[in-house]
């Protein structure tokens, strides 16, 4: 009885603490996929400013400006004309090392609930016929003040980014290995 | 010189050298994702202990003697007080809404903690562990630094693009200096003559003459600079560029970057070891501390620490 009582007091004390909202801390996500193709072929499918529209199942259209570092793109998610857009900018581009970095410059919470999002994609050879694609990002939840509303907290941000990575890498693998997006 | 005297001198020299080795400092690395602090022995560059602290630790301020280490925990909204000798948490200070930047007066008696949300700096007496004052500053205060004589407190106000200069004892404002966009870390030269702010959004470093209280230079670095370490012997600074995964080495005579070092990933807290030979860099994404030789400007070591290491502040101190 005493033990139970002590436990319930502890539980009662813990509940409001757990419910208390808190300030944001930076989150990270990293996913990778093995592709049955040489690294050069994978990099070719990846490196264009708007290549992502070829293979990412969530990306309907892409409007790009420029190539390499400094290039920008506006992705439309879902269906063309949905208005669900993400503005991005390439911040680093290394053809030799087969990697680029980009950041999100503008996005709405109901499209991707993140803030200060910066990401990198890397292609690594795995022998002559295979390669590995790594996608990683650092970001904050969308709501940068204390007490985030539901859907703008860390969990929402992490679920969304991991979902984008998983669907994207599976799509990329499929596009390279079969030549089709869907 | 007789033999005995020579033997004595040799012995004394050996003892001094041993003392030198034994006196190698520790680095205290906050691991934000692991709610812990990794203690690195800089003699061996090995993690010798991991201390559980509050929730999502980020900032750190170690005392000059190494007897106390203070860690800010933004999520539990408090500061963990670590006893250097036992490496145990001996106290917790509750603080406002968003404790992040943290700095200790050179005499060890006063602790300053910036509150990111409430736009003030909390002042604590480290003997009584009681709050003695709150100092209103600009919006989103982030980096804190004391000048070596302990007369002034410097505070970056990230969302105002300014650096507040305050009297460290009376808290009276001395100056408000315009910096680059979104200043985060602030570091002083050991003589206190110059201050540097790393400006996250304008990708540059503002150099300030602290006597004239004026900006003397703005030095471009790379995406998302976060913090600065000073190498006074070589008249250089080292700047962590978070989104560039690099450290910029700036020659202050030339006023420009002389080397851009690739580091493990998403570098944040950075500090020069007291012997001046190495710079230590916490890499948030890579969960590792890189060791840079100040002589060769090469990476000479990589130390695995905890998830999401940040080490924002003065994280190196003599072993207690």
């Amino acid at each position: 009885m005493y033990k139970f009582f002590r436990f319930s007091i502890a539980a009662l004390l813990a509940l409001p603490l757990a419910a208390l909202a808190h300030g944001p801390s930076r989150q990270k996500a990293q996913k990778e996929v093995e592709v049955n193709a040489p690294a050069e072929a994978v990099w070719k499918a990846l490196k264009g400013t708007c290549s992502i529209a070829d293979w990412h199942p969530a990306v309907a259209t892409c409007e790009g400006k420029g190539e390499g570092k400094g290039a920008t793109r506006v992705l439309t998610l879902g269906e063309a004309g949905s208005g669900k857009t993400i503005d991005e900018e390439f911040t680093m581009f290394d053809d030799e090392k087969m990697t680029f970095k980009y950041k999100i410059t503008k996005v709405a919470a109901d499209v991707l609930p993140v803030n200060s999002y910066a990401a990198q994609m890397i292609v690594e050879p795995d022998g002559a016929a295979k390669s590995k694609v790594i996608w990683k990002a650092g970001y904050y939840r969308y709501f940068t003040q204390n007490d985030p509303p539901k859907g703008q907290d860390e969990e929402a941000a992490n679920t969304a980014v991991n979902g984008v990575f998983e669907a994207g890498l599976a799509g990329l693998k499929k596009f390279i290995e079969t030549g089709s997006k869907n | 010189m007789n033999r005995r005297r020579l033997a004595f001198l040799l012995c004394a020299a050996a003892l001094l050298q041993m003392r030198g080795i034994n006196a190698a400092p520790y680095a205290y690395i906050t691991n934000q994702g692991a709610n812990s602090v990794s203690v690195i022995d800089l003699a061996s560059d090995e993690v010798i202990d991991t201390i559980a602290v509050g929730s999502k630790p980020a900032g750190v301020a170690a005392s000059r003697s190494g007897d106390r280490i203070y860690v800010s925990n933004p999520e539990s909204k408090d500061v963990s007080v670590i006893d250097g000798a036992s490496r145990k948490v001996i106290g917790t200070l509750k603080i406002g809404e968003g404790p992040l930047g943290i700095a200790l007066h050179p005499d060890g008696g006063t602790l300053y903690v910036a509150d990111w949300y409430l736009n003030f700096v909390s002042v604590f007496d480290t003997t009584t562990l009681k709050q003695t004052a709150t100092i209103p500053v600009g919006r989103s205060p982030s980096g804190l630094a004391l000048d070596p004589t302990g007369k002034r407190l410097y505070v970056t106000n990230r969302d105002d693009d300014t650096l507040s200069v305050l009297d460290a004892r009376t808290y009276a404002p001395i100056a408000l200096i315009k910096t680059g966009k979104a200043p985060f870390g602030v570091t002083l030269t050991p003589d206190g003559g110059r201050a540097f702010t790393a400006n996250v959004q304008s990708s540059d470093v503002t150099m300030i003459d602290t006597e004239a209280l004026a900006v003397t230079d703005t030095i471009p670095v790379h995406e998302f600079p976060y913090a600065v370490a000073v190498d006074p012997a070589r008249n250089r600074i080292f700047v962590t560029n978070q989104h560039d995964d690099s450290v910029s080495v700036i020659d202050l005579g030339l006023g420009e970057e002389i080397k851009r070092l690739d580091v493990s990933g998403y570098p944040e807290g950075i500090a020069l070891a007291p012997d001046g030979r190495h710079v230590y860099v916490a890499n948030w994404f890579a969960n590792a501390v890189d060791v840079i030789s100040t002589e060769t400007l090469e990476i000479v070591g990589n130390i695995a620490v905890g998830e999401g290491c940040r080490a924002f502040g003065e994280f190196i101190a003599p072993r207690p």
Side-chain angles (χ1 to χ4, degrees):
Chain A
M1 181 61 198
Y2 174 66
K3 228 176 186 175
F4 175 74
F5 178 71
R6 204 168 53 175
F7 170 76
S8 49
I9 289 288
L12 279 174
L13 285 172
L15 265 178
L17 273 178
L20 271 182
H22 51 77
S25 64
R26 200 184 309 110
Q27 307 292 305
K28 61 173 89 157
Q30 179 162 350
K31 298 275 174 199
E32 54 185 64
V33 71
E34 283 279 339
V35 183
N36 292 308
E40 290 70 26
V42 176
W43 176 239
K44 206 176 150 205
L46 195 65
K47 69 178 193 176
T49 302
C50 273
S51 300
I52 191 169
D54 297 338
W55 49 262
H56 202 299
V59 177
T61 59
C62 170
E63 260 182 73
K65 204 188 265 181
E67 290 286 334
K69 190 184 171 176
T72 58
R73 65 187 182 192
V74 180
L75 308 177
T76 298
L77 306 192
E79 288 166 26
S82 69
K84 293 191 166 191
T85 56
I86 306 179
D87 292 17
E88 297 182 336
E89 182 183 333
F90 286 74
T91 56
M92 184 274 264
F93 191 89
D94 194 326
D95 223 359
E96 201 177 315
K97 289 183 180 162
M98 297 192 282
T99 180
F100 64 77
K101 292 179 185 176
Y102 67 95
K103 63 180 177 186
I104 292 179
T105 51
K106 193 179 154 198
V107 70
D110 62 346
V111 178
L112 194 69
V114 295
N115 221 304
S116 299
Y117 172 102
Q120 182 173 20
M121 297 195 81
I122 306 156
V123 182
E124 284 179 0
D126 178 11
K130 280 186 177 184
S131 50
K132 187 163 82 177
V133 181
I134 302 159
W135 200 351
K136 58 183 182 177
Y139 50 90
Y140 285 90
R141 71 188 189 205
Y142 190 82
F143 196 77
T144 55
Q145 298 300 302
N146 264 341
D147 308 336
K150 204 171 161 45
Q152 298 186 16
D153 52 10
E154 266 96 17
E155 194 189 341
N158 289 331
T159 304
V161 173
N162 280 297
V164 166
F165 283 12
E166 274 168 23
L169 289 174
L172 178 66
K173 180 179 168 71
K174 191 176 174 200
F175 174 71
I176 294 167
E177 291 177 0
T178 70
S180 103
K181 178 176 175 177
N182 295 306
Chain B
M1 191 185 298
N2 66 39
R3 247 187 167 156
R4 211 177 200 171
R5 191 165 159 73
L6 180 68
F8 171 78
L9 279 175
L10 282 172
C11 201
L15 272 172
L16 274 174
Q17 195 169 3
M18 269 174 69
R19 198 179 135 73
I21 290 165
N22 284 335
Y26 289 155
Y28 299 89
I29 308 297
T30 51
N31 303 309
Q32 190 157 42
N35 300 331
S36 67
V37 170
S38 296
V39 184
I40 301 171
D41 182 345
L42 299 194
S44 59
D45 281 350
E46 280 171 7
V47 174
I48 56 155
D49 207 350
T50 303
I51 306 165
V53 291
S55 188
K56 300 280 184 277
V60 55
S63 70
R64 285 188 168 185
S65 62
D67 63 342
R68 290 283 184 279
I69 300 92
Y70 302 87
V71 172
S72 66
N73 307 301
E75 192 168 276
S76 46
K77 302 174 187 172
D78 53 23
V79 167
S80 300
V81 183
I82 297 169
D83 175 62
S86 65
R87 299 200 289 271
K88 302 257 185 272
V89 174
I90 56 164
T92 303
L93 312 175
K94 287 308 280 184
I95 288 172
E97 283 298 313
L100 178 64
I102 186 165
L104 194 62
H105 192 275
D107 71 10
T110 309
L111 181 72
Y112 305 84
V113 186
D115 192 304
W116 177 265
Y117 291 108
L118 300 180
N119 302 334
F120 60 61
V121 173
S122 294
V123 185
F124 284 86
D125 180 318
T126 60
T127 310
T128 62
L129 296 183
K130 298 266 186 264
Q131 187 170 321
T132 56
T134 56
I135 317 167
V137 289
R139 288 183 300 156
S140 300
S142 32
L144 297 181
L146 274 294
D147 83 294
T149 61
K151 291 200 176 90
R152 285 178 180 179
L153 171 67
Y154 295 81
V155 185
T156 53
N157 304 301
R158 188 187 189 273
D159 290 351
D160 281 346
D161 307 331
T162 56
L163 177 73
S164 292
V165 187
L166 306 154
D167 186 299
R169 292 300 186 200
T170 67
Y171 321 131
I174 295 168
L176 187 67
I177 297 165
K178 199 82 186 158
T179 62
K181 210 163 166 230
F184 201 81
V186 55
T187 307
L188 297 182
T189 49
D191 66 3
R194 281 184 284 187
F196 303 92
T197 66
N199 309 312
V200 173
Q201 284 169 11
S202 50
S203 299
D204 52 25
V205 170
T206 301
M207 182 163 87
I208 292 142
D209 180 324
T210 57
E211 200 174 323
L213 291 167
V215 173
T216 51
D217 203 358
T218 300
I219 305 159
V221 286
H222 306 286
E223 285 268 307
F224 267 62
Y226 185 83
V228 177
V230 180
D231 177 2
R234 294 179 176 82
N235 198 31
R236 290 173 180 161
I237 57 171
F238 292 74
V239 186
T240 48
N241 304 304
Q242 287 180 328
H243 288 188
D244 195 51
D245 299 322
S246 70
V247 167
S248 291
V249 186
I250 311 287
D251 181 300
L252 293 173
L254 300 169
E256 61 182 40
E257 182 180 77
I258 53 167
K259 182 146 186 186
R260 176 183 182 177
L261 271 159
D262 285 334
V263 291
S264 303
Y266 223 104
E268 298 216 335
I270 185 163
L272 180 77
D275 68 5
R277 293 176 58 216
H278 299 109
V279 166
Y280 288 79
V281 186
N283 290 275
W284 174 76
F285 208 102
N287 307 332
V289 171
D290 285 326
V291 188
I292 299 169
S293 161
T294 51
E295 193 192 341
T296 64
L297 299 181
E298 301 288 344
I299 303 223
V300 294
N302 178 269
I303 307 158
V305 289
E307 172 64 37
C309 59
R310 300 195 64 179
F312 180 50
E314 293 271 349
F315 62 83
I316 298 178
R319 69 179 63 197

